[in-house]
Amino acid sequence: MEHIQTIALTPGAATALQDKPADLQIGQASQLLSAHWNRGGNLLVIGAIGAVTRLVAPLAQDKHSDPAVVVVDARGEHVVPLLGGHAAGAEQLARDLAAALGGRAVLTGDANTQGRLALDAFGEAWGWTRAGEASAWHQLMQSQAMEQPLSLAQQSGTTLWSTSAGSQRLNLLDGANPSAALSIGASTDAAACRWHPATLWIGIGCERNTSESLVDRAVASVLAQASLAPEAVAGISSIDAKADEPALLHLSEQHGWPFRLHNAASLAKVAVPTPSEVVKAEMGTASVAEAAALLAAGDGAPLHQPKQIFHAEPGEQGAVTVAIAEASQAFAPQRGELHLIGSGPGALELLTPDARQALSRCVTWVGYGLYLDLLEPLRRHDQVRVDGQLTRERDRCQQALEMARAGTRVALVSSGDSGIYGMAGLALELWMNLPESDRPLFQVHPGLSALQLAAAKAGAPLMHDFCTISLSDRLTPWEVIERRLHAAAAGDFVVALYNPRSKGRDWQLQRAIEILLTDRPTTTPVVMARQLGRREESVSLFELASLKPADVDMLTVLVIGNSSSRVMGGRMVTPRGYPGAALS
């Protein structure tokens, strides 16, 4: 959720504050709302919805220009998107606020109540840009509300959205189709209402110090001639000798288009329809514009528009060559988000508000099927899930990262806390390997770990120094694991054992018990917690010497006490050593 930029209070409300922020704005409600009534802005109003409705009524114009107006009651229990539900993002803002406050988003829009995709808003979460006249979108949404049959034609971008429950009433068409009411692709003439994934790469070659106006005009002309949308441009590309070309740098900055560079040797390997010996003699490659466009777009990309050469008009200088290729995958990392979600042990009431808010924000959930099943009651009709296999962690991380690079808001789900034996580390390593310009937003959302819940269920076994050790040797050599077990035993740490035993690893736990018994009593208490946070949950206390490995599986976490840990009244405690608190 975006940071709050301005806080404003009425004079009456301001009197309740003893320490007022220096930038606090105080004024009548009507004046404050009028002053901040900006297109594309967000207004969060705390008060009665009837009073707010009367205040904003004189300011409201239409759904395409009004800001998002969200009303929250004084207790933060109900969050209502009053205006700008789709176009301004008020519905998503309401969901984010409700998740953060532990309240309820009250959504009364037609698409939400009828379980349909909001056709004028859903593409934003996938990283697409909306285009078309406001009147055409208004007519489309009216047709959807009246449940008229609607066809959607898609030429590019991910089709994963079509697996959502909300898309099932649409008639989906492949490729361009004149009968479609809505299109997804790069073309400007496919339909009156359009979503544009960023799939186009513009290759550009130019003389040194070519005028900015000439480059701008050339790019706009080639896009228009090919009926391609500027909103569908992923970036521009050229030879590395043009890294400091002022007109290309200006074009990149002006539109927010990434600027990819390639050396002459790489460009020379690309087969192009119109190579030039003149260019080869000067640049070391027979093609710059076409080859650069194809290289940036990736393997198998079609050349949408062969190169065109534009010369200077009066008042300009230089010459520029432009070509356009289309990638099979969109590229919009500046819009994409990758959220690492710790879903906790499983029960929804144990999901942290931060994780719940991130799940609400993300349109795609990626994770192991069992973990996604536990979260299924929270998934909306516009959200999709991508199930992965338990041992294919790298594949899941790479898939989620690629989706986010395409502009999608993605949740990558781990059980417990994603930063504790979860997916956060691997995903972050892959993210770090990307060039800085290719990185989507990356954020880790903490979850309740099995270690914490096991300790809470058993009493207070973690009151002194403790460590966690995974007994899985799939990624860590057993020699390293055994060395850590010896160190934990010698240091008298409370030890939490993750991944203690599986069908393919049935001897490691017994060896771990033997190592720990070398430095602590046979009566050392052990918490055996299985299926935490789920219906099958069981938490038992044992002595270390009597623990039976056959009773333990991968759904179990063990907390093994240190030499001072005790059990009394069915509870386990590891004394912290406070004066006067010794156990008798």
Side-chain angles (χ1 to χ4, degrees):
M1 191 171 61
E2 296 180 0
H3 296 295
I4 294 175
Q5 296 178 331
T6 305
I7 300 177
L9 295 175
T10 60
T15 58
L17 289 182
Q18 294 182 346
D19 298 320
K20 297 180 177 63
D23 57 351
L24 176 66
Q25 296 186 12
I26 300 175
Q28 297 299 320
S30 58
Q31 296 172 343
L32 293 171
L33 286 168
S34 180
H36 295 282
W37 196 265
N38 301 317
R39 181 173 185 171
N42 295 327
L43 289 174
L44 170 61
V45 186
I46 301 173
I49 193 166
V52 176
T53 301
R54 287 189 290 272
L55 287 168
V56 303
L59 302 172
Q61 298 178 34
D62 59 71
K63 62 187 298 182
H64 302 288
S65 58
D66 290 334
V69 179
V70 176
V71 183
V72 184
D73 68 279
R75 294 180 178 272
E77 295 175 351
H78 299 93
V79 186
V80 183
L82 185 62
L83 286 178
H86 295 172
E91 284 193 356
Q92 186 57 53
L93 178 59
R95 294 188 187 106
D96 291 345
L97 282 169
L101 296 171
R104 178 184 171 215
V106 183
L107 307 180
T108 60
D110 175 76
N112 185 76
T113 57
Q114 299 301 317
R116 292 191 287 254
L117 284 183
L119 296 180
D120 60 347
F122 85 101
E124 182 183 352
W126 293 97
W128 308 336
T129 302
R130 199 178 76 172
E133 296 294 331
S135 58
W137 282 102
H138 179 70
Q139 183 177 350
L140 176 69
M141 297 311 292
Q142 280 190 327
S143 298
Q144 185 184 34
M146 296 171 65
E147 299 190 358
Q148 295 178 0
L150 294 175
S151 295
L152 185 153
Q154 182 164 7
Q155 303 89 47
S156 63
T158 178
T159 59
L160 189 58
W161 66 272
S162 64
T163 65
S164 67
S167 70
Q168 300 311 303
R169 303 183 200 181
L170 293 171
N171 179 27
L172 304 182
L173 308 173
D174 291 329
N177 193 303
S179 66
L182 175 64
S183 72
I184 301 172
S187 175
T188 58
D189 56 12
C193 299
R194 304 179 302 277
W195 283 106
H196 295 301
T199 55
L200 301 178
W201 285 93
I202 303 177
I204 306 176
C206 66
E207 295 180 357
R208 175 60 67 182
N209 293 321
T210 293
S211 298
E212 294 177 0
S213 60
L214 174 54
V215 172
D216 291 346
R217 175 166 52 82
V219 169
S221 176
V222 173
L223 286 169
Q225 289 176 38
S227 298
L228 297 174
E231 296 90 345
V233 175
I236 62 174
S237 183
S238 189
I239 192 168
D240 54 9
K242 297 298 177 182
D244 60 348
E245 187 66 45
L248 300 188
L249 293 172
H250 171 265
L251 182 70
S252 172
E253 183 177 358
Q254 179 183 24
H255 294 280
W257 292 339
F259 186 12
R260 283 189 175 175
L261 298 166
H262 311 277
N263 60 42
S266 298
L267 294 170
K269 296 177 182 178
V270 181
V272 298
T274 54
S276 167
E277 290 300 319
V278 175
V279 173
K280 184 177 181 180
E282 183 174 350
M283 305 302 297
T285 173
S287 173
V288 172
E290 291 176 341
L294 289 168
L295 265 186
D299 294 340
L303 193 64
H304 249 309
Q305 189 70 18
K307 73 178 185 183
Q308 292 190 43
I309 303 174
F310 294 80
H311 298 282
E313 293 184 349
E316 297 176 334
Q317 67 178 26
V320 60
T321 304
V322 178
I324 302 177
E326 183 165 19
S328 60
Q329 301 293 327
F331 181 79
Q334 71 279 12
R335 301 175 207 152
E337 301 176 9
L338 181 56
H339 296 267
L340 278 294
I341 307 294
S343 63
L348 294 180
E349 60 268 21
L350 298 177
L351 187 67
T352 65
D354 185 45
R356 187 181 290 260
Q357 180 180 337
L359 283 170
S360 173
R361 178 168 179 78
C362 294
V363 72
T364 302
W365 298 358
V366 180
Y368 175 49
L370 173 61
Y371 306 153
L372 297 183
D373 288 343
L374 295 170
L375 295 171
E376 187 65 17
L378 300 180
R379 189 163 68 94
R380 300 189 308 270
H381 61 274
D382 62 314
Q383 295 174 312
V384 303
R385 56 182 280 176
V386 179
D387 292 35
Q389 298 178 17
L390 184 59
T391 58
R392 304 292 292 273
E393 289 87 355
R394 177 173 288 273
D395 291 346
R396 290 206 298 278
C397 286
Q398 190 65 57
Q399 184 180 29
L401 183 56
E402 288 302 315
M403 290 178 182
R405 290 179 70 211
T408 305
R409 297 200 292 256
V410 184
L412 180 56
V413 177
S414 301
S415 66
D417 184 291
S418 66
I420 302 177
Y421 302 120
M423 308 290 282
L426 177 55
L428 184 55
E429 288 180 45
L430 294 172
W431 182 86
M432 287 177 170
N433 288 335
L434 294 172
E436 188 171 349
S437 60
D438 287 13
R439 295 173 182 170
L441 181 146
F442 184 98
Q443 190 168 356
V444 180
H445 303 270
L448 185 64
S449 69
L451 166 68
Q452 292 171 284
L453 187 56
K457 296 283 186 178
L462 303 179
M463 289 300 296
H464 219 301
D465 297 335
F466 66 91
C467 65
T468 65
I469 299 175
S470 170
L471 295 189
S472 173
D473 56 0
R474 191 168 66 87
L475 299 175
T476 305
W478 177 253
E479 294 77 15
V480 175
I481 297 172
E482 190 162 310
R483 187 164 68 244
R484 291 169 179 171
L485 287 166
H486 279 291
D492 199 27
F493 285 89
V494 174
V495 181
L497 296 180
Y498 277 73
N499 307 313
R501 186 174 181 272
S502 68
K503 291 180 179 179
R505 296 183 296 100
D506 58 0
W507 60 268
Q508 287 92 337
L509 177 56
Q510 182 60 49
R511 178 60 182 145
I513 293 171
E514 293 169 0
I515 293 172
L516 293 172
L517 280 173
T518 60
D519 283 281
R520 61 194 67 190
T522 59
T523 56
T524 299
V526 179
V527 180
M528 185 169 76
R530 187 176 185 278
Q531 293 273 35
L532 285 165
R534 304 169 191 173
R535 288 193 301 270
E536 302 85 352
E537 176 183 285
S538 64
V539 180
S540 308
L541 293 171
F542 295 87
E543 292 183 349
L544 182 57
S546 63
L547 183 64
K548 298 178 180 179
D551 295 334
V552 177
D553 60 18
M554 281 289 288
L555 299 176
T556 305
V557 63
L558 300 172
V559 181
I560 301 170
N562 67 10
S563 60
S564 66
S565 299
R566 300 287 185 272
V567 172
M568 187 176 295
R571 294 288 185 270
M572 177 178 169
V573 65
T574 300
R576 179 75 172 128
Y578 293 110
L583 295 173
S584 58

